[in-house]
């Protein structure tokens, strides 16, 4: 609610208390176990409660600013004018969160700080800058923002026009939300539209004890709710339509509810408890998470009461059929605020006075044995948490859920043992709901980070993990005992029996150990680039256009609207590249050949001697400097002329690729001993032909990626066979393929998650590796799942093509080594995907996420988790009989700083995991090739993300290269052949 004020606490049912029977669930033993991996631990606050700065930097007044300045409304006439002064002291809040170790901060935006009069006609840039800065600094400190758009503080200017009782509010809220998505959506991945709309509706527009002070108990609350739900739905659909594909966030709503326990075990009281759940939670949840409409019991009772009271129609508004459709499913997750439990008894009301509170025909009380708190309405009843979560699961088909508020009030003691007790048992009941009841709870936000302005109670009730001295101008923050306790829960990710257990459980005691030592003599140290990313000269010396030339010139395809026309200009400055390679001291340089520079139209008939001459000169220069070339034939830049004929979807491409490979083998094979046919075939198939974010920009998620993958594998096998027949005896080189894969770690240790993790590996790496390094065919689990999904979609044949017996024979063993590109790890959880649409991703019945404990980078997909590389190498060893492996890409992105300490840390950690894989696990890894030699054109990200050991000045026509700190580190590592 900030702590949820319980309006029902105002209704005291006087009489004998009937003690209900304690169920097995209520007295189940304390569960010593951890939460699932990736569980989101956080803390919460709200703008009016902590920010202060009420009239600073152009902020307009909200309804709470008006309300608190009316004498008698707030305990001790306190106000939120200064509160915790977080507007000026948010960095202190971030420091406190860092101490807690939380990975999420749920805060709200003050609508009137960004739009002083609530409308787009008056945008306050200073307000926007405040939230931009807050979000940025949270992320810089490893804390993810979890943002609430509306936490009760409506701009007063909108209230003057009727506020939530005027339908025009829907468009104003949509405009405000659209602005915030545009301003912050690139960084904010979790959005809440409303916090506790029940409070807004009933306390604000029903009994009027909260602003805007409207007392219309029979109609006001229902009208306000109707407009709030429609506002939520419009904003959810707005995000879905305009922002989801680019920002990839999720949108939910936070609803508050006590658990309603029947006062007695009679049928009447059980029915009354269910009515309370429907009137309190279902009022908002059923339209959004249910069938799109209000609960049937609510519609029936309010209609009957309205008729009895002389109304011509129900006081409960009706949704149109279109509105119901829009409401239904307008969520990505369920936000739940829960604090306490109430006892409910049947109590029929037949009043002529319309009143939401009496429409549900029930009464409420509490058990006198329940422990109290500083808030009269808040009794400590931990088992109610588990029961409520199970009710939501069973009623709304187990939606993804975040507990967005939970906590207890006291007088503000630093040694707050009661709060420790509260968190311990409430959080444990949540753990039982996850582990035992299979509730899909994703995270927990403790209320609250700080003691703050607690609405009507002012500063008399304290919910904070940190004490705030409101008597001091600097609002000094002091951690309470509960802060240390909660930090311990976060660190241990729950309640393991062994308190020394780390957050991420691992199988071997040496997982986080750093291994000193050196690699074997002859270990390959190299760096990597690719043609389109560095060469430039896109239309020089007869080169034909590639699909990336076409794609990057299309508006809206590249993040920073750049292209690779010049890039690092390596076509003209390759000797400079050789110079810095020499400076690094590497033994190998992995680069790619531009197919359209050799064959401008993709076919042998268009052979371009100038293209051959360029690569011949580059190879000779490398060898002169004792640097071995490691050559990739295809790094995504298909000649556009072949794409015009269908590209990788047309199996004539197989012959064209073989012609191209044969010419390269014959012209350069005497000097090139390591060949890679394809780089990251998965990216070509899925990003290029599935979701279409890479060239050639084809969007067909269900079929085309499999066709493309099929033709790439057949092309590889034929080119390998060609090398074997015509060149191996003459040149003695080796031919492999570079495949990319994350490590996929089970989110939990459940059988479903472990199997899903294996499936993810088979669908990503096994898709291409199994035909080549395995049995010549696709992984059996991939064939099974795609065939099953295809059949359910009404298809006669599987969307996954089949290899002939002869093709399987050619595929099997068609590589001398595996090139592995690896950057990050994902956590995997089993999920049953819908039947439609047809999609490679949905075929797998899983979803992936990242652990919030892993360091973030400027690439949203790249989280730093070194031990995943060792696990992946071990999996390859065991799955494919320990093939020879070269790490052909591994690196990390940043914004291009020369003092790139993050990259040094990344290389140190990941390369040490390679050493462990070799020395401790026996993996046959022959070399490590860092990505990349220099900053370059990073595909759809343009030049906004930098992976280079060398900085390139792209504003200087000479494209000067400057060594970064990581270049010196990598050079020393190469000189020492490891870690001495």
């Amino acid at each position: 609610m900030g702590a949820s004020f319980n309006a029902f606490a105002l209704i005291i049912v006087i009489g004998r208390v009937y003690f209900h029977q304690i169920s097995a669930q209520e007295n189940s033993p304390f569960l010593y176990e951890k939460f699932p991996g990736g569980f989101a631990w956080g803390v919460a606050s709200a703008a009016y409660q902590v920010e202060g700065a009420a009239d600073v930097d152009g902020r307009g007044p909200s309804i709470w600013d008006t309300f608190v300045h009316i004498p008698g409304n707030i305990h001790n006439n306190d106000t939120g004018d200064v509160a915790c002064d977080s507007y000026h002291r948010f960095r202190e809040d971030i420091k406190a969160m860092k101490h807690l170790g939380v990975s999420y901060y749920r805060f709200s935006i003050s609508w009137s700080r960004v739009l002083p009069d609530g409308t787009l006609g008056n945008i306050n840039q200073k307000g926007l800058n405040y939230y931009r800065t807050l979000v940025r600094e949270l992320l810089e400190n490893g804390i993810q923002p979890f943002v609430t758009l509306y936490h009760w503080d409506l701009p007063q200017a909108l209230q003057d026009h009727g506020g939530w009782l005027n339908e025009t509010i829907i468009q104003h809220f949509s405009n405000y939300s659209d602005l915030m998505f545009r301003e912050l959506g690139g960084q904010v991945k979790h959005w809440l539209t409303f916090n506790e709309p029940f409070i807004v509706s009933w306390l604000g527009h029903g009994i009027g004890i909260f602003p805007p002070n409207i007392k219309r108990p029979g109609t006001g609350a229902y009208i306000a709710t109707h407009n709030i739900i429609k506002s939520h739905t419009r904003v959810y659909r707005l995000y879905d339509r305009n922002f989801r594909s680019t920002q990839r966030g999720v949108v939910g709503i936070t609803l508050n509810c006590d658990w309603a326990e029947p006062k007695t075990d009679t049928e009447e009281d059980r029915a009354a408890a269910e009515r309370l759940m429907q009137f309190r939670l279902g009022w908002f949840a059923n339209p959004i998470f249910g069938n799109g409409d209000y609960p049937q019991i609510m519609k029936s009772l309010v209609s009957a009461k309205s008729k009895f009271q002389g109304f011509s129609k129900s006081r409960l508004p009706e949704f149109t059929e279109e509105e119901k459709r829009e409401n239904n499913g307008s969520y990505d997750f369920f936000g739940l605020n829960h604090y306490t439990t109430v006892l409910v008894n049947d109590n029929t009301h037949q009043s002529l006075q319309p009143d939401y509170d009496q429409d549900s025909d029930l009464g409420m009380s509490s058990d006198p044995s329940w422990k109290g708190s500083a808030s009269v309405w808040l009794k400590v009843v931990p088992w109610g948490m588990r029961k409520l979560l199970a009710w939501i699961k069973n009623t709304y088909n187990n939606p993804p859920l975040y507990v967005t508020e939970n906590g207890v009030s006291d007088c503000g003691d630093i040694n707050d043992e009661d709060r420790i007790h509260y968190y311990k048992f409430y959080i444990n009941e949540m753990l039982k709901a996850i582990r035992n009841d299979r509730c899909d709870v994703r995270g927990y936000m403790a209320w609250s980070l700080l003691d703050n302005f607690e609405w009507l109670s002012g500063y008399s009730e304290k919910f904070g993990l940190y004490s705030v001295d409101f008597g001091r101008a600097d609002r000094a923050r002091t951690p309470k005992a509960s802060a240390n306790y909660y930090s311990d829960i976060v660190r241990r990710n729950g309640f393991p029996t062994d308190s020394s257990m780390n957050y991420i459980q691992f199988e071997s005691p040496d997982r986080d150990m750093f291994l000193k030592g050196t690699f074997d003599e002859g270990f390959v140290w190299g760096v990597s680039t690719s043609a389109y990313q560095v060469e430039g000269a896109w239309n020089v010396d007869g080169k034909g256009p590639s699909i990336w030339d076409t794609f990057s010139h299309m508006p809206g395809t590249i993040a920073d609207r750049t292209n690779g026309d010049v890039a690092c200009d390596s076509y003209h400055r390759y000797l400079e590249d050789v110079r810095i390679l020499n400076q690094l001291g590497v033994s190998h340089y992995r680069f790619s050949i531009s197919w359209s520079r050799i064959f401008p139209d993709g076919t042998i008939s268009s052979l371009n001697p100038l293209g051959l001459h360029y690569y011949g000169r580059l190879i000779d220069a490398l060898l002169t400097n004792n640097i071995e070339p490691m050559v990739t034939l295809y790094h995504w830049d298909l000649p556009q002329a072949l794409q015009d004929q269908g590209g990788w979807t047309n199996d004539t491409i197989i012959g064209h690729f073989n012609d191209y490979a044969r010419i390269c083998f014959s012209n350069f094979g005497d000097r090139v001993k390591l060949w890679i046919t394809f780089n990251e075939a998965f990216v070509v198939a899925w990003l290029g032909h599935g979701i279409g974010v890479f060239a050639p920009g084809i969007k067909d998620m269900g079929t085309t990626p499999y066709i493309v993958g099929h033709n790439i594998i057949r092309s590889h096998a034929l080119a390998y066979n060609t090398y074997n027949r015509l060149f191996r005896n003459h040149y003695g080189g080796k031919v492999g393929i570079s495949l990319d894969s994350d490590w996929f770690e089970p989110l939990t240790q459940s059988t479903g998650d472990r199997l899903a993790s294996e499936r993810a590996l088979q669908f990503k790496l096994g898709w291409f590796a199994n035909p080549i390094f395995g049995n010549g065919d696709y992984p059996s689990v991939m064939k099974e799942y795609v065939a099953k999904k295809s059949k359910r979609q009404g298809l006669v044949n599987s969307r996954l093509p089949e290899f002939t017996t002869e093709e399987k024979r050619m595929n099997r063993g068609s590589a001398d080594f595996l090139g592995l590109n690896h950057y990050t790890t994902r956590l995997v959880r089993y999920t049953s995907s819908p039947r439609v649409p047809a999609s490679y991703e949905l075929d797998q019945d899983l979803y992936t996420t990242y652990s919030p404990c892993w360091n973030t980078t400027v690439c949203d997909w790249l989280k730093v988790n070194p031990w995943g590389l060792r696990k992946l190498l071990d999996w390859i060893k065991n799955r494919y009989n320990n093939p020879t492996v070269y790490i052909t890409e591994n690196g990390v992105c940043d914004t291009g700083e020369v003092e790139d300490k993050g990259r040094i840390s990344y290389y140190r950690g990941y390369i040490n995991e390679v050493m462990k894989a070799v020395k401790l696990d026996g993996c046959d890894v022959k070399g490590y090739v860092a990505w990349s030699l220099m900053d370059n054109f990073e595909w759809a990200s343009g030049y906004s993300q930098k992976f280079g050991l060398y900085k390139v000045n792209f504003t200087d026509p000479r494209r000067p290269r400057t060594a970064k700190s990581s270049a010196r580190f990598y050079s020393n590592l190469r000189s020492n052949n490891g870690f001495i």
Side-chain angles (χ1 to χ4, degrees):
M1 134 171 214
S4 257
F5 183 89
N6 188 339
F8 292 113
L10 299 175
I11 304 170
I12 306 299
V13 178
I14 302 173
R16 181 180 174 188
V17 174
Y18 292 91
F19 291 94
H20 58 283
Q21 184 177 0
I22 301 296
S23 70
Q25 192 185 60
E26 291 168 30
N27 58 11
S28 60
F30 194 88
L31 180 60
Y32 288 97
E33 197 170 344
K34 298 178 77 172
F35 282 85
F39 192 79
W41 292 103
V43 287
S45 72
Y48 188 77
Q49 294 182 273
V50 300
E51 282 184 4
D55 57 355
V56 170
D57 289 341
R59 178 183 177 273
S62 76
I63 55 175
W64 272 93
D65 294 297
T66 302
F67 185 77
V68 299
H69 288 106
I70 299 173
N73 280 346
I74 307 298
H75 175 81
N76 204 33
N77 289 324
D78 292 334
T79 74
D81 289 357
V82 180
C84 305
D85 199 24
S86 289
Y87 182 77
H88 299 106
R89 304 178 190 282
F90 67 90
R91 292 184 179 88
E92 295 175 41
D93 298 345
I94 293 174
K95 182 179 178 181
M97 286 181 262
K98 291 282 285 183
H99 169 254
L100 289 171
V102 295
S103 51
Y104 286 83
Y105 179 39
R106 177 180 172 236
F107 65 93
S108 73
I109 292 172
S110 167
W111 188 343
S112 61
R113 193 176 295 284
V114 296
L115 298 175
D117 66 3
T119 75
L120 292 179
N122 187 11
I123 297 175
N124 179 24
Q125 289 299 326
K126 289 184 178 179
L128 290 174
N129 289 341
Y130 167 72
Y131 292 112
R132 289 192 197 107
T133 303
L134 174 58
V135 167
R136 185 187 72 246
E137 296 201 20
L138 285 168
L139 291 169
E140 288 172 354
N141 284 276
I143 300 166
Q144 295 292 322
F146 202 116
V147 178
T148 305
L149 290 167
Y150 187 74
H151 201 124
W152 310 348
D153 47 353
L154 187 71
Q156 182 62 47
L158 292 182
Q159 184 58 46
D160 293 341
H161 290 87
W164 293 109
L165 300 181
N166 185 338
E167 283 191 343
T168 61
I169 195 74
I170 299 169
Q171 186 59 52
H172 290 308
F173 184 70
S174 179
N175 292 342
Y176 156 58
S177 301
D178 182 83
L179 174 67
M180 300 321 300
F181 293 153
R182 293 182 188 280
E183 292 290 334
L184 303 179
Q187 292 76 44
V188 175
K189 303 307 175 188
H190 290 81
W191 294 95
L192 289 163
T193 53
F194 292 87
N195 178 79
E196 300 186 3
F198 170 83
I199 301 296
V200 179
S201 297
W202 180 233
L203 274 64
H205 296 81
I207 56 177
I209 61 172
F210 271 30
N213 241 159
I214 294 171
K215 297 179 173 65
R216 291 173 56 184
T219 57
Y222 290 129
I223 296 169
T225 294
H226 206 63
N227 287 329
I228 286 172
I229 292 170
K230 290 198 288 184
S231 296
H232 162 82
T233 295
R234 181 172 295 187
V235 166
Y236 179 85
R237 300 302 178 192
L238 166 74
Y239 188 89
D240 213 31
R241 184 174 62 251
N242 296 342
F243 300 97
R244 187 180 302 281
S245 63
T246 55
Q247 297 181 359
R248 299 180 182 176
V250 288
V251 179
I253 187 170
T254 280
L255 307 178
N256 62 302
C257 195
D258 305 336
W259 170 243
E261 182 74 3
K263 190 172 183 178
T264 70
D265 196 31
T266 63
E267 183 177 345
E268 292 79 8
D269 283 1
R270 289 198 302 272
E274 177 65 18
R275 283 200 303 278
L276 176 57
M277 295 303 300
Q278 295 293 352
F279 266 79
R280 177 75 175 272
L281 188 58
W283 186 10
F284 301 89
N286 208 67
I288 297 167
F289 300 89
N291 65 3
D293 199 1
Y294 295 118
Q296 186 58 48
I297 185 65
M298 194 174 188
K299 291 166 66 177
S300 298
L301 279 175
V302 179
S303 178
K305 299 266 185 180
S306 300
K307 185 176 181 181
F308 174 76
Q309 292 154 355
F311 288 84
S312 59
K313 62 179 182 179
S314 176
R315 289 179 279 107
L316 182 67
E318 292 183 358
F319 292 114
T320 66
E321 291 303 314
E322 176 61 24
E323 287 170 343
K324 292 175 190 176
R325 285 192 294 270
E326 288 291 294
N327 292 341
N328 189 10
S330 60
Y331 72 93
D332 297 311
F333 64 92
F334 194 123
L336 176 67
N337 293 356
H338 172 72
Y339 291 87
T340 192
T341 290
V342 293
L343 297 178
V344 184
N345 63 283
D346 181 66
N347 186 14
T348 301
H349 298 280
Q350 288 289 6
S351 172
L352 289 174
Q353 294 299 318
D355 191 337
Y356 157 84
D357 209 19
Q358 296 185 9
D359 286 341
S360 52
D361 282 343
L362 55 85
M364 289 181 298
S365 60
S366 64
D367 188 324
S369 69
W370 293 343
K371 184 177 177 62
S373 68
S375 305
V376 65
W377 55 270
L378 202 168
K379 309 298 180 184
V380 180
V381 192
W383 49 259
M385 166 78 90
R386 180 180 176 186
K387 287 193 171 187
L388 178 57
L389 290 170
W391 187 90
I392 293 170
K393 171 198 167 188
N394 295 328
T395 305
Y396 302 116
N397 196 29
N398 203 15
L401 185 146
Y402 291 86
V403 175
T404 43
E405 285 183 26
N406 178 240
V408 70
S409 59
D410 63 11
C411 62
D413 193 346
I414 296 295
N415 297 312
D416 52 346
E417 294 180 9
D418 287 343
R419 181 167 292 106
I420 290 173
H421 178 275
Y422 184 98
Y423 281 136
K424 177 179 180 180
F425 288 99
Y426 271 78
I427 293 173
N428 198 252
E429 290 299 316
M430 179 176 62
L431 180 60
K432 292 177 193 176
I434 295 170
R435 294 299 192 186
N436 298 342
D437 307 330
R438 298 293 182 246
C439 297
D440 190 11
V441 182
R442 306 284 179 88
Y444 176 91
M445 312 289 161
W447 184 270
S448 62
L449 173 63
L450 308 171
D451 292 340
N452 54 41
F453 179 81
E454 271 303 325
W455 309 112
L456 301 185
S457 301
Y459 300 102
S460 65
E461 297 174 7
K462 309 294 173 63
F463 280 81
L465 291 160
Y466 277 73
S467 173
V468 177
D469 189 341
F470 295 104
R472 291 178 51 163
D474 65 359
R475 296 299 197 264
R477 283 94 158 118
T478 304
K480 302 178 185 177
S482 60
N484 297 323
Y485 179 74
Y486 184 60
S487 176
D488 192 51
I489 291 176
V490 172
R491 178 182 60 82
R492 296 160 62 193
N493 199 33
F495 308 92
T497 54
D498 180 358
S499 62
S500 66
M501 290 179 70
N502 292 322
Y503 168 46
I504 300 175
Q505 189 173 3
F506 52 92
E507 295 141 9
S508 60
D510 60 11
R511 194 203 71 177
D512 293 324
M513 173 194 76
F514 188 84
L515 181 64
K516 292 274 191 177
T518 58
F519 289 94
D520 292 342
E521 189 71 24
F523 188 81
V524 164
W525 293 93
V527 287
S528 188
T529 64
S530 82
Y532 188 76
Q533 294 182 272
V534 301
E535 282 183 4
W538 74 287
N539 59 357
V540 170
D541 289 345
K543 177 185 176 291
S546 76
I547 57 174
W548 271 96
D549 293 311
T550 302
F551 187 77
S552 66
H553 289 136
M554 294 169 59
T557 57
I558 309 302
D560 58 2
R561 301 179 181 179
T562 58
N563 54 57
D565 289 1
V566 179
C568 305
D569 198 23
S570 289
Y571 184 77
H572 299 107
R573 304 178 191 282
Y574 69 91
L575 290 177
E576 176 67 7
D577 297 345
V578 174
R579 183 188 70 80
I580 62 176
L581 287 164
N582 216 347
Q583 189 179 78
L584 279 173
V586 294
S587 59
H588 287 66
Y589 178 42
R590 176 180 172 240
F591 64 92
S592 75
I593 292 174
S594 167
W595 188 343
S596 61
R597 198 177 291 284
I598 300 292
F599 293 168
D601 70 0
T603 71
I604 196 168
S605 63
S606 65
L607 181 64
N608 178 23
L610 291 176
L612 290 174
H613 184 57
Y614 166 69
Y615 292 110
R617 284 181 292 139
L618 171 58
I619 291 167
D620 288 342
L622 290 169
L623 293 172
T624 299
N625 285 272
N626 296 315
I627 300 166
E628 290 287 332
M630 179 184 278
V631 177
T632 305
L633 291 170
Y634 187 75
H635 201 124
W636 310 350
D637 48 352
L638 187 71
Q640 181 62 45
L642 293 182
Q643 183 60 44
D644 293 340
Q645 299 173 32
W648 292 109
T649 66
N650 184 341
D651 59 10
T652 61
I653 195 79
I654 299 167
H656 292 310
F657 181 77
N658 192 58
D659 290 341
Y660 161 58
R662 181 167 52 82
I663 291 297
C664 291
F665 293 152
S666 65
N667 278 272
F668 311 126
D670 58 332
R671 290 159 289 169
V672 175
K673 303 307 177 186
L674 289 171
W675 292 95
I676 295 165
T677 54
F678 289 89
N679 179 78
E680 298 187 3
F682 169 84
V683 172
V684 179
W686 180 237
L687 274 65
H689 296 81
I691 55 177
V693 296
F694 276 18
I698 293 170
K699 297 177 182 177
D700 177 14
M701 297 186 290
T703 303
T704 302
Y706 292 131
I707 295 171
V708 169
H710 201 66
N711 286 332
I712 287 175
I713 293 166
R714 293 196 291 170
S715 297
H716 161 83
L718 182 58
Y720 179 84
N721 182 263
T722 295
Y723 190 87
N724 261 0
R725 286 188 303 104
L726 302 178
F727 302 103
R728 190 179 297 275
N729 289 338
H730 296 289
Y731 300 141
K734 296 184 188 223
V735 179
I737 187 170
S738 278
L739 304 177
D740 64 303
S741 187
D742 305 334
W743 170 247
F744 294 97
E745 181 80 358
L747 185 63
T748 74
Q749 292 305 304
S750 69
T751 301
D753 287 1
R754 291 199 304 271
L755 291 174
S757 175
E758 177 67 17
R759 258 195 326 279
L761 284 160
Q762 294 289 3
F763 266 81
K764 178 76 177 281
L765 184 57
W767 183 5
F768 301 94
N770 209 68
I772 298 167
F773 299 93
N775 64 2
D777 200 1
Y778 295 116
S780 58
V781 69
M782 191 175 186
K783 292 165 66 177
E784 173 193 346
Y785 269 66
V786 180
K788 177 178 66 176
K789 298 276 185 176
S790 299
K791 185 176 181 181
R792 288 175 60 198
Q793 290 152 1
L795 301 176
V796 175
N797 298 315
S798 174
R799 287 178 281 105
L800 182 67
E802 293 184 3
F803 292 114
T804 66
T805 300
E806 176 59 22
E807 285 171 340
K808 292 177 191 175
R809 186 192 66 76
M810 281 191 66
N811 292 339
R812 189 168 55 249
S814 62
D816 302 312
F817 63 88
L818 169 62
L820 179 65
N821 295 356
H822 173 79
Y823 291 88
T824 192
T825 291
R826 293 174 185 261
L827 299 176
V828 184
R829 183 166 224 172
Y830 164 74
T831 185
S832 181
S833 299
R835 178 174 60 87
V836 291
S839 168
Y840 157 81
E841 285 190 335
L842 296 179
D843 286 340
Q844 302 172 58
D845 278 351
L846 58 88
Y847 77 87
T848 65
T849 185
Y850 299 101
S851 167
C853 294
W854 301 336
N855 288 337
T856 59
T857 68
V858 300
C859 301
D860 60 1
W861 55 271
L862 203 170
K863 316 299 179 185
V864 180
N865 183 48
W867 53 256
L869 178 51
R870 178 183 176 189
K871 285 196 170 188
L872 181 58
L873 289 168
D874 194 56
W875 186 88
I876 291 168
K877 178 192 83 171
N878 296 327
R879 177 63 57 179
Y880 301 119
N881 195 30
N882 204 12
T884 296
V885 173
Y886 291 91
I887 307 296
T888 44
E889 283 186 28
N890 179 240
V892 70
C893 53
D894 60 16
T895 56
E897 51 269 26
V898 172
E899 295 298 325
D900 54 344
K901 293 179 181 178
R903 180 166 291 106
I904 291 172
S905 176
Y906 183 96
Y907 281 141
R908 185 176 187 271
Y910 276 76
I911 294 172
N912 199 253
E913 292 300 314
V914 176
M915 177 172 284
K916 287 193 234 177
V918 173
K919 299 293 187 181
L920 304 181
D921 306 330
C923 297
D924 187 18
V925 184
K926 297 296 189 187
Y928 177 92
V929 182
W931 183 270
S932 63
L933 171 62
M934 54 193 161
D935 295 339
N936 53 45
F937 180 79
E938 272 302 326
W939 308 111
S941 299
Y943 300 100
S944 64
Q945 298 173 358
K946 310 294 173 60
F947 281 82
L949 290 159
Y950 282 77
K951 181 181 179 68
V952 177
N953 184 348
F954 294 104
T955 64
D956 188 328
R958 297 169 300 168
R959 297 299 196 267
R961 285 85 157 125
T962 303
K964 302 179 185 178
S965 295
S966 58
R968 292 186 289 274
F969 170 82
Y970 190 63
S971 180
N972 288 334
L973 203 59
R974 157 73 178 96
S975 297
N976 296 328
N977 200 31
F979 303 91
I980 60 174

